[in-house]
Amino acid sequence: MIFANTTRRVAVLALMAVLAACGKSAAEKRQEEAATLTSLGEKYVKEKVREPSTAMFRNQVVGKGGATCGEFNAKDAFGAYIGYQRYISVARDLTLLAQDVSPAEFEQNWNQLCR
């Protein structure tokens, strides 16, 4: 009886050790991190547009330093979509929409953070 309990405990501990070792792969961790950064980028862009609920996103990538880069489209004050524009988001206060700066300045930031 004592041997059976000990064997059962050893089996349970071995199973727990195997399950603990079954963590996420490096690729899964990178994929989760990219999804989190992309979601944050979308959130920060939505905070800058007039109609956040209408924002649509495409061509999103995670660039250098975790910057989220992509394109968004949203409605303006007249209810019309503005057309897809690029954005770069590093943090809430460091989210840049192409419409906010000169094309040359945006392109410089895009090349530095997104390529």
Side-chain angles (χ1 to χ4, degrees), residues 74-90:
K75 289 187 177 180
D76 62 13
F78 301 105
Y81 278 95
I82 59 175
Y84 278 95
Q85 297 183 28
R86 293 186 298 173
Y87 76 90
I88 303 166
S89 181
V90 179

Side-chain angles (χ1 to χ4, degrees), residues 41-60:
E42 289 178 4
K43 176 184 174 187
Y44 300 149
V45 168
K46 287 179 180 182
E47 291 175 359
K48 296 183 77 107
V49 299
R50 185 174 293 277
E51 295 289 333
S53 64
T54 66
M56 299 180 292
F57 296 87
R58 69 180 188 188
N59 300 327
Q60 295 174 283

